[in-house]
Amino acid sequence: LSILAGCAMVAGGLRLTGRRYHLMGLGFIGGGLAVLYWSVYALTMYYRLLPQAWALPLVVLVTVAAGVLAVRLDSPLVATIGIVGGYASPMLLIMRQADYLGVFAYLLVLGAGVLAIALWRRWPLLNYLGMLFTYGIFTWVLIRHYEPAHFARVMPFLCGFFALHAAVMYGHNIARRQRTTLVEILGQLLNAGLFFGFGYHLVTGAHPREWAAALTLGLAAFYSLHVSLLLVRRLHDRGLLLTLTALAAFFLTLTMPIALSKEWLTLSWAALAFFLLWLGRRVDSRFLRLLAYALYVITLGRVL
């Protein structure tokens, strides 16, 4: 009965949208989606009328419907309700299970849905909610269930979360050839910081600290590759180029003190300064050139 009521609310809301009672129609759609989410929870967890394995596929179905309706109606409200319900479901459905790999796979599916919406609509709040919910649930799982022996199974999922939400933050700008704003730049920085913090914790918990250099080097290569692709496609988005370049330089710089001795560190600073100077001239960035000169001064100080 509750599932039928939720579907009826969504159908009724659709009939009201685009007319005099458009906002009321969106409210009915949002309420109907909320009823459907709670119905799945009651169906599988409370009354146990279906096996628990059915819960997440049903939640995915409701979330996909919410995304399609949000894009069709151009409604951030419907999208937000769908995403919040989709991300809240693992907390309700998988609370007592230690088998968290299914939760991570589900988060990747939801992240792909957020990316699909982001390519069509520019809704920064939705992008931030998806990223914060993903890392929040990831933190909850680590606290409750993670052990260093699980590193090889958990780290690939963390890399997937990072890559997905990096694409979410600038996917719309690239697809629609729109300039990146401060909102997307801050999202990139937050995503990189969260991934590095979690990744460093996982790597150093399972391996010697020097192994973390592979993490920073991989991040530097990731952002450098994106800069190259943007230049090849002639997408001269100055803000995005500078952000990605700065992140690549930062993680490359961070690699050196983690992996190298004092003597090699001095030479690496000089090489990094040369790279930044070359890149600054290529993208015509005065900031990068000044940063390169500052690194040359630091290198000279270390030599002296």
Side-chain angles (χ1 to χ4, degrees):
L1 288 174
S2 62
I3 288 175
L4 289 175
C7 293
M9 291 176 69
V10 173
L14 283 173
R15 290 187 62 84
L16 292 175
T17 54
R19 302 180 184 181
R20 182 178 179 180
Y21 300 104
H22 180 76
L23 289 178
M24 184 181 294
L26 294 179
F28 271 110
I29 292 173
L33 292 172
V35 169
L36 289 174
Y37 279 122
W38 284 104
S39 300
V40 172
Y41 173 71
L43 186 71
T44 56
M45 296 294 293
Y46 190 76
Y47 294 109
R48 302 190 183 278
L49 298 176
L50 284 179
Q52 190 174 341
W54 284 63
L56 290 183
L58 289 174
V59 168
V60 169
L61 183 62
V62 177
T63 306
V64 169
V68 172
L69 289 172
V71 172
R72 178 187 169 189
L73 299 172
D74 195 16
S75 172
L77 173 63
V78 173
T80 301
I81 292 173
I83 289 300
V84 170
Y87 278 104
S89 298
M91 307 294 288
L92 297 173
L93 300 173
I94 318 291
M95 271 192 177
R96 297 180 181 86
Q97 289 193 357
D99 182 17
Y100 49 79
L101 297 183
V103 178
F104 290 164
Y106 172 73
L107 291 178
L108 285 178
V109 172
L110 277 185
V114 174
L115 175 60
I117 295 175
L119 294 176
W120 284 92
R121 296 287 187 266
R122 192 173 191 171
W123 293 333
L125 175 61
L126 189 70
N127 300 341
Y128 272 93
L129 283 176
M131 180 172 62
L132 294 177
F133 270 116
T134 296
Y135 285 113
I137 294 172
F138 186 78
T139 303
W140 172 73
V141 170
L142 287 187
I143 293 173
R144 291 177 63 92
H145 304 299
Y146 178 75
E147 296 177 5
H150 302 161
F151 172 80
R153 289 181 291 170
V154 172
M155 192 64 191
F157 283 105
L158 179 60
C159 294
F161 298 152
F162 164 72
L164 262 177
H165 290 288
V168 165
M169 283 298 166
Y170 56 68
H172 184 86
N173 303 83
I174 293 178
R176 308 294 173 178
R177 291 184 173 268
Q178 296 180 359
R179 292 286 181 181
T180 302
T181 65
L182 182 61
V183 174
E184 286 88 18
I185 290 174
L186 292 177
Q188 285 291 343
L189 297 177
L190 180 61
N191 184 42
L194 288 172
F195 172 71
F196 176 70
F198 282 114
Y200 187 86
H201 171 72
L202 294 180
V203 171
T204 56
H207 302 285
R209 187 182 68 89
E210 290 76 14
W211 282 66
L215 181 67
T216 54
L217 198 60
L219 283 167
F222 176 85
Y223 288 115
S224 299
L225 178 62
H226 279 71
V227 170
S228 302
L229 291 175
L230 289 175
L231 292 175
V232 168
R233 294 189 59 186
R234 301 184 183 277
L235 294 173
H236 298 296
D237 186 338
R238 182 179 177 83
L240 183 58
L241 280 171
L242 285 176
T243 301
L244 297 179
T245 303
L247 286 169
F250 171 76
F251 285 113
L252 186 61
T253 305
L254 208 58
T255 302
M256 300 162 191
I258 293 176
L260 302 177
S261 64
K262 294 187 297 182
E263 294 76 11
W264 281 101
L265 181 60
T266 304
L267 182 60
S268 300
W269 279 108
L272 177 60
F274 176 79
F275 167 75
L276 288 178
L277 185 61
W278 171 82
L279 193 59
R281 293 183 181 277
R282 287 293 303 271
V283 300
D284 193 23
S285 170
R286 184 168 178 266
F287 169 78
L288 289 178
R289 293 197 297 269
L290 291 175
L291 183 60
Y293 297 144
L295 285 175
Y296 274 129
V297 171
I298 294 173
T299 303
L300 180 60
R302 289 185 62 86
V303 170
L304 294 176

